[in-house]
Amino acid sequence: MFKEYKTIKEIKGPLLIVEGVKAPKYQELVEVIMENGEKRLGQVLVADENLTVVQMFEETRNLKIENTRVRFFGKTLKIGVAKEMLGRIFSGKGKPIDDGPEIIPEKEMDIQGSPINPYSRAYPDDFIQTGISAIDGLNTLVRGQKLPIFSGAGLPHNELAAQIVRQAKVRKTGEGFAVIFGAIGITFEEANFFIKNFQEAGILSRTALFINLADDPVIERITLPRVALSLAEFLAFEKEMHILVILTDMTMYCEALREISGARKEIPGRRGYPGYLYTDLASIYERAGRIKGKKGSITQLPILTMPEDDKTHPIPDLTGYITEGQIMLSRSLYQKGIYPPIDVLASLSRLKDKGIGEGKTREDHPGVLNQMFSAYAKGKESRDLATILGEASLTEVDKKYLKFAELFEEKFVKQGINEERSIEKTLDLAWELLSLLPQSELKRIKKEYIEKYWPKKPI
Amino acid sequence: MEKEGKIIKIAGPLVVATNMEGAKIFEVVKVSEKKLIGEIISLKENVAFIQVYEETTGIACGEPVFKTNESLLVELGPGLLGSIYDGIQRPLNLIEKMVGAFIERGIEIPSLNREKIWHFKPLLKEGEEIESGDILGVVDEEGFEHRILVPPFVKKGLLKMIKPEGDYNIEEIIAKVETKEGEVNLKMYQKWPVRQKRPVKKELVPDELLVTGQRVIDSLFPIMKGGTACVPGPFGAGKTVIQHQLAKWVDADVIVFVGCGERGNEMADVLIEFSKLKDPKTKRLLLKRSVLVANTSNMPVAAREASIYTGITIAEYFRDMGYNVALIADSTSRWAEALREISGRMEEMPGEEGYPTYLPSRIASFYERAGKMICLGKDNRIGSVSIIGAVSPPGGDFSEPVTQSTLRVTKVFWALDDALANKRHFPAINWLISYSLYKERVEEFLREKVSPEFPELIKLAQKFLQEEAKLQEIVTLIGAESLSEKDKLILEIAKSVREDFLIQNAFDEVDTFSSLKKQYLMLKAIFAFERKARELIERGLKLKEIEGLERLKEKIARLKYLPEENLNELEEVIKEIETYQHV
């Protein structure tokens, strides 16, 4: 059952305004049929019997006001999901674009999803070993967390994300992940990099790719993460799988949102982004986690490039307020030739505390983590001081901290793009570095652990 | 049955309906056949603008709107403690039971369990003159004395009937009162409109410290019972951890924790922690002294706006019983954003940064619901509500409207600092710009309750921190080595205050909470050390040369890990410092 109208009043960017629609439903699915029979999809943005606003999921190019029919379906956009979607490639709307057969859906899902009842959530605390010291040791990722990578143009966030995907596993059980990869407005080359990487690592068969390239319709960037996450929820909570979702680049998503908001002539918030950007982003990022009594989980690793490397820009800023920490990449480390250029001080994992320590990683981990942070912070202060006054003016202890900071970047943060370090190796490395400092400086580690783990021979 | 309205427009959480003659502002309505809960926020002739507390997807123009003639109410009575509610007081645990892990729409569940049996003990006798606020009787809620009050609308009357001690559910009539207006039936629960302050007899000036167990707060920037505090900070600066710490450790009788537009996992964390940890004073589970209101960032925006009021009304109800209540709201910025979103959809003229022009007055009237009060009732009992509100300023910029409007009305300011957080100095409260306007009143309290020395030690600590800030400027110019021994000692002591006292590890089972006595002794140890070192320097010795001091310094650094029951060891360390002889 559907209603059809030929009363388009206005076409404006991705929006159509249709007159005299009877009983329009908020967010109902709309199909626009052009003179030549071509069909395009959209949804109701403002339901109003006089002037209903329709937001198109596809381009409005070549649409005519005359002779174009608008169909109202009376139901919201749903996507058919199935386990066999793993190993396949889809558009932002969830249509296969890899010449494979059509998907036979196991379930229809509303792409908006429903909020997880906070009472039903299980707290994420399974340590994920990524094999990367700066993450595992200091900003530990756990299963069910949403931890974005804050990057900038030209930094190796793609390489890092690919390395995490290749190496991530839960240590306790050795389980890996199925991957859902959402490419939002990135270039063909970048998308290709990921596909190749997944292929070489032999995980393409457990990866579903949703791809919207830089020259694909902007409007599909709005549906893409929602379609991808609907599949993730299906696989995690109905098929009991552990899902790692990569969304890149969220900045392009936000810009698409701004474009539509502008077309609607809404009152803009900061930097022209709509006032509801926080709520909108939350409706994506909050679709991660674990649920009591269910085996599966969704871990999110969104990537965003900060305009001008500015973390107070609304996109990273609002993201940081929603996600459970961030992995911050640093241009100056990268220029020093350090890969992965993770700025550990500006990075944070909010869920690390329940995922580390005895029974999770190793008993000394929490103390070592705190000590490493404060030692590196002090080392960096000493470095600043040394640049102004010269190294000679530093106190003996400060000189040791300076040395610590150098080696910390060179040995701990820096590692090969295919190098996978176990958590024990990471922690042992940390102790080696800490042994550069006098024992009395290690105020944040319990005495018994200092005695137990202090390296026998210093570096 | 009253005439129904008819929907003419839907835009997100805003629904516009016509044929709404006779409707009132802030009246609750049920929208569409799905009976979504909404509230009228504006009226224009017979057209009502309704903010809807649930997702409006799929609702059609032409569907009906049902009037209820009621405002947004909360239910207050036995069963509140230990509950977790959404923004409009629907119990989330029952929602899970009904529909599973994902929240659906149009669910109607009473906030308080109607079947549960409570043991009621009357305190008044038939024939007594009563007035609003009098305690009819008490219910023991797992160790908590839940006082059943004569509700505010019963001004004065004669108690005609009261049920004898026994087991009742909350729907049973437990008392009958004869008033001028006629006979009134009272049950164990009452309803109250959330947007209306609950009445009291008189407001008092707060004069008692709200002990939080957090050293930087209690010693440097204290808050009082009935006071208000604002915690702004950029993301990652530790707002949430501070809020959780306060919710766990403040010495209030009841905690109302409002998770407003924040992370779902954090609420899960609060729930899990609260069902494990015990109140240090009463040894009851934290959950049993708490009411949680959770409207996470992906739950409907309008309900986020309501959640703050739901929380404060519940807090006031427990205050009326004569308890000290702490309301912790994380984060009020999300509430302000909800106001902005609705205001934008109504096409109102925006004020600063798109926020509606009435934002400052809404914030002010919310914080004014805090205070220490003489409650209604003949016994003149005293209760208090303290409000601690987190603010999430965009980009960590404190000049934005929500932070500024909040600072104008709150008395305590805990400024969270990104730079400190990056150094993992937690709690990252910046000691140079934070303040507490309760400071002087607290000094008296500390002098009396802990030690006459304590306020002096606190002043010393602050003096050293300020001197350090000055000296740091010199150090960056000429280096630390060129300072005088005296100045070096100042840096050394300030460092000790920062690292050994202010830094507190929320995740360490001992360090997570410090009693006032421990805080006092820790400062005492640091400044005993300072006196000793100063004496030695004045004798011409150099700091670095005094090896014995190093040993003492290390002892001071480990004081924070001394359990509360071993505080005598702390006094021994102080003695050791005081009697130290340099050879």
Side-chain angles (χ1 to χ4, degrees):
Chain A
M1 260 305 288
F2 54 82
K3 294 166 283 188
E4 206 171 284
Y5 298 86
K6 273 191 177 176
T7 47
I8 299 180
K9 282 282 283 185
E10 207 179 321
I11 304 172
K12 192 168 57 176
L15 304 182
L16 295 186
I17 296 173
V18 190
E19 198 178 26
V21 180
K22 216 170 153 351
K25 283 186 178 170
Y26 181 59
Q27 295 203 328
E28 77 175 289
L29 187 65
V30 175
E31 193 175 59
V32 176
I33 305 153
M34 294 161 65
E35 244 173 330
N36 60 6
E38 194 189 322
K39 290 174 183 173
R40 291 181 189 169
L41 289 178
Q43 72 174 16
V44 172
L45 200 57
V46 177
D48 185 329
E49 293 202 330
N50 300 323
L51 296 170
T52 288
V53 183
V54 174
Q55 170 192 327
M56 298 302 297
F57 291 136
E58 295 169 76
E59 286 180 295
T60 45
R61 196 171 356 162
N62 294 334
L63 273 190
K64 282 193 351 193
I65 284 190
E66 306 84 29
N67 289 329
T68 303
R69 291 175 292 156
V70 187
R71 253 181 210 175
F72 290 80
F73 286 96
K75 55 171 194 175
T76 51
L77 179 64
K78 294 221 158 94
I79 169 192
V81 289
K83 201 171 170 182
E84 58 168 19
M85 288 172 82
L86 289 172
R88 303 284 307 273
I89 305 176
F90 304 91
S91 73
K93 280 182 317 212
K95 287 257 169 295
I97 49 171
D98 58 358
D99 306 324
E102 282 290 313
I103 299 296
I104 301 159
E106 292 178 54
K107 193 185 175 187
E108 294 262 303
M109 289 188 73
D110 186 336
I111 66 162
Q112 302 295 340
S114 295
I116 300 179
N117 187 335
Y119 181 79
S120 312
R121 280 181 185 268
Y123 196 72
D125 58 1
D126 289 330
F127 163 64
I128 297 177
Q129 180 175 298
T130 65
I132 296 164
S133 293
I135 297 176
D136 295 352
L138 300 181
N139 295 292
T140 322
L141 177 68
V142 295
R143 198 154 60 179
Q145 184 171 14
K146 39 190 183 290
L147 190 66
I149 299 176
F150 284 12
S151 183
L155 292 178
H157 43 265
N158 290 339
E159 286 76 3
L160 179 62
Q163 189 176 4
I164 294 174
V165 170
R166 283 196 310 269
Q167 301 180 352
K169 56 173 97 53
V170 170
R171 263 292 293 274
K172 226 168 43 187
T173 53
E175 286 167 294
F177 292 87
V179 179
I180 290 185
F181 180 79
I184 309 166
I186 63 174
T187 62
F188 167 76
E189 265 182 67
E190 285 174 289
N192 201 44
F193 165 84
F194 279 104
I195 297 175
K196 226 179 91 209
N197 234 289
F198 296 158
Q199 216 159 23
E200 281 167 8
I203 52 171
L204 202 55
S205 62
R206 50 184 168 100
T207 302
L209 297 104
F210 293 84
I211 292 190
N212 170 280
L213 294 181
D215 60 346
D216 285 336
V218 168
I219 196 72
E220 283 187 20
R221 290 174 199 164
I222 304 296
T223 48
L224 190 144
R226 297 185 162 84
V227 169
L229 286 164
S230 298
L231 176 61
E233 281 172 357
F234 171 73
L235 295 176
F237 303 127
E238 298 195 20
K239 297 285 165 190
E240 309 206 317
M241 296 171 79
H242 295 291
I243 308 294
L244 183 62
V245 180
I246 310 260
L247 298 170
T248 179
D249 175 338
M250 286 305 287
T251 302
M252 305 300 277
Y253 170 83
C254 295
E255 277 168 5
L257 203 64
R258 176 167 68 176
E259 202 174 315
I260 294 163
S261 169
R264 286 174 69 182
K265 298 211 170 81
E266 290 173 330
I267 299 165
R270 278 205 305 152
R271 301 225 189 172
Y273 291 95
Y276 49 79
L277 182 60
Y278 176 85
T279 305
D280 188 277
L281 283 175
S283 72
I284 293 173
Y285 296 140
E286 276 290 325
R287 291 171 82 175
R290 291 168 56 204
I291 290 177
K292 279 190 262 178
K294 298 202 191 243
K295 264 203 196 129
S297 66
I298 300 177
T299 309
Q300 264 194 45
L301 211 61
I303 298 172
L304 57 90
T305 46
M306 298 179 285
E308 294 173 72
D309 294 353
D310 174 14
K311 80 161 184 169
T312 67
H313 183 281
I315 300 171
D317 188 51
L318 295 178
T319 298
Y321 276 121
I322 305 163
T323 54
E324 282 132 3
Q326 67 279 340
I327 292 171
M328 181 78 78
L329 300 191
S330 145
R331 201 167 291 278
S332 68
L333 280 181
Y334 189 54
Q335 280 159 351
K336 273 194 201 172
I338 289 169
Y339 172 89
I342 297 175
D343 178 356
V344 296
L345 295 183
S347 301
L348 168 73
S349 164
R350 291 170 187 273
L351 304 185
K352 63 176 186 302
D353 299 287
K354 300 233 164 71
I356 61 174
E358 211 176 333
K360 301 275 178 182
T361 52
R362 207 168 76 182
E363 54 186 0
D364 57 324
H365 194 167
V368 168
L369 175 145
N370 281 324
Q371 195 69 59
M372 292 288 278
F373 272 123
S374 81
Y376 181 51
K378 270 195 203 144
K380 278 185 88 170
E381 266 172 36
S382 304
R383 185 189 289 164
D384 292 344
L385 221 52
T387 12
I388 307 173
L389 300 165
E391 227 182 292
S393 68
L394 296 181
T395 62
E396 281 311 308
V397 177
D398 283 350
K399 278 182 198 150
K400 286 183 177 156
Y401 274 114
L402 181 64
K403 175 94 179 142
F404 175 88
E406 292 303 322
L407 288 178
F408 175 81
E409 290 169 3
E410 281 297 328
K411 294 197 153 211
F412 191 84
V413 176
K414 187 174 177 176
Q415 69 184 81
I417 202 157
N418 286 312
E419 184 184 349
E420 195 174 339
R421 293 184 193 152
S422 71
I423 183 65
E424 290 79 12
K425 190 160 178 215
T426 291
L427 289 172
D428 290 343
L429 196 57
W431 276 106
E432 253 181 62
L433 293 171
L434 288 174
S435 70
L436 289 168
L437 306 172
Q439 274 196 12
S440 60
E441 287 291 310
L442 307 189
K443 291 179 178 178
R444 302 186 181 215
I445 307 179
K446 284 195 180 139
K447 262 215 162 107
E448 45 183 300
Y449 298 148
I450 297 183
E451 276 153 27
K452 187 163 167 192
Y453 292 104
W454 189 262
K456 300 291 170 285
K457 47 174 196 281
I459 48 171
Chain B
M1 191 65 203
E2 263 195 86
K3 212 175 77 181
E4 296 160 4
K6 179 176 154 255
I7 298 176
I8 52 170
K9 182 179 171 180
I10 308 148
L14 181 75
V15 165
V16 184
T18 184
N19 296 342
M20 293 293 286
E21 289 91 350
K24 290 177 300 205
I25 283 280
F26 288 130
E27 177 175 338
V28 167
V29 293
K30 303 274 168 82
V31 174
S32 91
E33 296 298 349
K34 287 209 170 72
K35 303 269 170 74
L36 307 185
I37 298 168
E39 195 182 9
I40 297 178
I41 48 173
S42 175
L43 284 166
K44 204 161 143 191
E45 291 174 10
N46 68 342
V47 174
F49 294 78
I50 302 159
Q51 65 174 354
V52 181
Y53 292 128
E54 303 181 71
E55 258 300 315
T56 49
T57 300
I59 302 301
C61 288
E63 286 199 63
V65 170
F66 307 97
K67 281 179 270 186
T68 65
N69 246 324
E70 278 187 338
S71 321
L72 190 62
L73 300 171
V74 287
E75 292 184 356
L76 303 165
L80 279 173
L81 291 176
S83 294
I84 175 165
Y85 293 113
D86 76 352
I88 48 174
Q89 217 203 1
R90 285 180 300 192
L92 286 168
N93 54 341
L94 297 184
I95 292 183
E96 181 191 68
K97 246 186 221 155
M98 282 175 74
V99 297
F102 291 89
I103 297 174
E104 284 174 25
R105 298 181 293 173
I107 298 171
E108 267 189 274
I109 314 179
S111 307
L112 295 173
N113 188 330
R114 295 288 188 271
E115 276 98 58
K116 185 156 182 180
I117 300 292
W118 300 96
H119 189 77
F120 173 76
K121 228 199 256 153
L123 293 184
L124 296 176
K125 283 192 217 67
E126 280 164 18
E128 279 189 72
E129 286 284 343
I130 58 163
E131 59 181 66
S132 40
D134 282 350
I135 303 172
L136 283 169
V138 293
V139 164
D140 177 56
E141 232 182 310
E142 293 175 56
F144 178 86
E145 189 182 277
H146 195 116
R147 297 166 187 157
I148 309 295
L149 307 177
V150 177
F153 67 86
V154 181
K155 296 274 181 277
K156 261 193 168 46
L158 193 73
L159 191 59
K160 292 277 282 187
M161 179 281 274
I162 186 160
K163 283 269 170 80
E165 180 169 351
D167 296 334
Y168 308 99
N169 68 34
I170 58 168
E171 280 291 6
E172 263 172 277
I173 293 162
I174 53 150
K176 286 185 186 202
V177 185
E178 196 180 275
T179 67
K180 261 191 264 164
E181 293 79 29
E183 199 174 80
V184 184
N185 293 335
L186 298 180
K187 297 175 179 176
M188 274 196 275
Y189 77 106
Q190 44 178 292
K191 291 184 179 181
W192 190 262
V194 295
R195 296 186 193 277
Q196 202 179 323
K197 230 175 163 166
R198 283 177 65 87
V200 293
K201 254 192 200 156
K202 196 177 165 207
E203 181 156 5
L204 302 171
V205 177
D207 55 1
E208 202 182 326
L209 180 68
L210 182 71
V211 181
T212 67
Q214 311 305 304
R215 293 187 290 267
V216 58
I217 293 176
D218 291 347
S219 291
L220 262 49
F221 310 108
I223 175 173
M224 306 204 90
K225 291 193 170 117
T228 49
C230 164
V231 203
F235 66 86
K239 250 186 331 291
T240 306
V241 178
I242 288 192
Q243 295 283 72
H244 288 191
Q245 282 298 92
L246 294 178
K248 281 179 203 164
W249 305 123
V250 292
D251 67 336
D253 304 302
V254 175
I255 310 291
V256 180
F257 188 94
V258 185
C260 174
E262 288 290 309
R263 304 175 182 93
N265 277 334
E266 275 167 11
M267 285 318 295
D269 187 27
V270 170
L271 263 178
I272 296 164
E273 291 270 303
F274 279 28
S275 9
K276 271 195 321 218
L277 293 170
K278 288 196 170 144
D279 181 347
K281 221 169 48 187
T282 60
K283 307 289 171 225
R284 285 184 309 136
L285 276 184
L286 285 184
L287 196 62
K288 292 294 169 199
R289 69 161 196 184
S290 312
V291 184
L292 308 179
V293 179
N295 210 84
T296 56
S297 57
N298 56 341
M299 285 158 80
V301 169
R304 200 191 290 169
E305 196 267 333
S307 65
I308 290 273
Y309 294 104
T310 301
I312 188 77
T313 309
I314 293 173
E316 284 175 343
Y317 170 68
F318 284 106
R319 173 207 64 201
D320 289 347
M321 294 179 206
Y323 288 116
N324 292 309
V325 186
L327 176 108
I328 291 165
D330 185 14
S331 142
T332 56
S333 291
R334 305 301 162 220
W335 164 67
E337 279 164 17
L339 277 183
R340 174 168 72 182
E341 187 167 339
I342 309 276
S343 161
R345 304 229 190 224
M346 303 236 313
E347 290 162 16
E348 291 176 337
M349 182 66 83
E352 243 177 301
E353 290 194 22
Y355 286 106
T357 46
Y358 46 80
L359 174 76
S361 60
R362 290 275 171 94
I363 290 180
S365 55
F366 166 67
Y367 280 99
E368 270 307 290
R369 290 175 76 166
K372 177 170 177 168
M373 312 287 186
I374 299 181
C375 310
L376 293 182
K378 280 198 284 288
D379 61 352
N380 285 336
R381 60 187 178 274
I382 290 172
S384 72
V385 173
S386 318
I387 302 183
I388 296 153
V391 179
S392 319
D397 172 10
F398 292 166
S399 68
E400 58 92 38
V402 183
T403 312
Q404 286 304 314
S405 310
T406 308
L407 283 182
R408 275 200 291 275
V409 290
T410 52
K411 299 281 188 298
V412 182
F413 172 45
W414 298 319
L416 295 181
D417 186 338
D418 219 6
L420 286 177
N422 281 351
K423 285 186 220 160
R424 297 311 189 262
H425 175 117
F426 287 116
I429 295 178
N430 182 314
W431 50 88
L432 297 174
I433 57 173
S434 300
Y435 60 77
S436 163
L437 300 180
Y438 299 120
K439 200 100 218 219
E440 278 170 32
R441 263 179 271 160
V442 169
E443 276 174 19
E444 252 167 74
F445 180 89
L446 294 179
R447 220 170 267 139
E448 236 169 77
K449 299 268 149 101
V450 188
S451 157
E453 262 184 304
F454 194 11
E456 306 312 315
L457 287 169
I458 292 170
K459 279 190 195 144
L460 263 181
Q462 267 180 319
K463 193 180 119 210
F464 272 82
L465 289 171
Q466 261 145 20
E467 300 253 328
E468 180 194 36
K470 272 189 240 152
L471 284 174
Q472 280 303 352
E473 287 173 26
I474 303 176
V475 170
T476 38
L477 289 176
I478 58 168
E481 285 302 286
S482 36
L483 290 179
S484 70
E485 281 303 303
K486 238 172 100 191
D487 285 347
K488 274 187 201 160
L489 179 64
I490 292 177
L491 288 185
E492 198 59 52
I493 296 303
K495 183 177 161 197
S496 177
V497 170
R498 277 189 289 116
E499 295 186 355
D500 307 332
F501 186 74
L502 295 184
I503 292 184
Q504 191 168 359
N505 185 350
F507 301 99
D508 183 276
E509 48 179 53
V510 174
D511 200 22
T512 184
F513 175 88
S514 283
S515 65
L516 289 178
K517 177 145 191 231
K518 183 172 172 188
Q519 301 187 26
Y520 156 63
L521 290 175
M522 285 173 78
L523 280 180
K524 195 172 171 186
I526 292 173
F527 286 100
F529 178 87
E530 189 265 338
R531 255 198 323 278
K532 183 59 75 182
R534 191 153 35 97
E535 271 170 39
L536 295 174
I537 289 172
E538 278 162 8
R539 272 161 50 189
L541 288 161
K542 287 208 158 118
L543 260 184
K544 259 193 293 186
E545 292 161 359
I546 318 170
E547 252 174 57
L549 287 187
E550 277 302 313
R551 204 168 31 82
L552 293 175
K553 242 166 68 185
E554 238 177 86
K555 282 205 168 153
I556 291 177
R558 304 212 172 260
L559 291 181
K560 53 172 84 158
Y561 302 112
L562 264 186
E564 292 288 336
E565 50 280 11
N566 303 357
L567 286 189
N568 54 328
E569 280 179 47
L570 218 164
E571 296 187 55
E572 276 163 32
V573 172
I574 295 173
K575 222 175 270 157
E576 196 185 331
I577 297 170
E578 282 170 346
T579 55
Y580 172 77
Q581 294 288 335
H582 182 67
V583 280

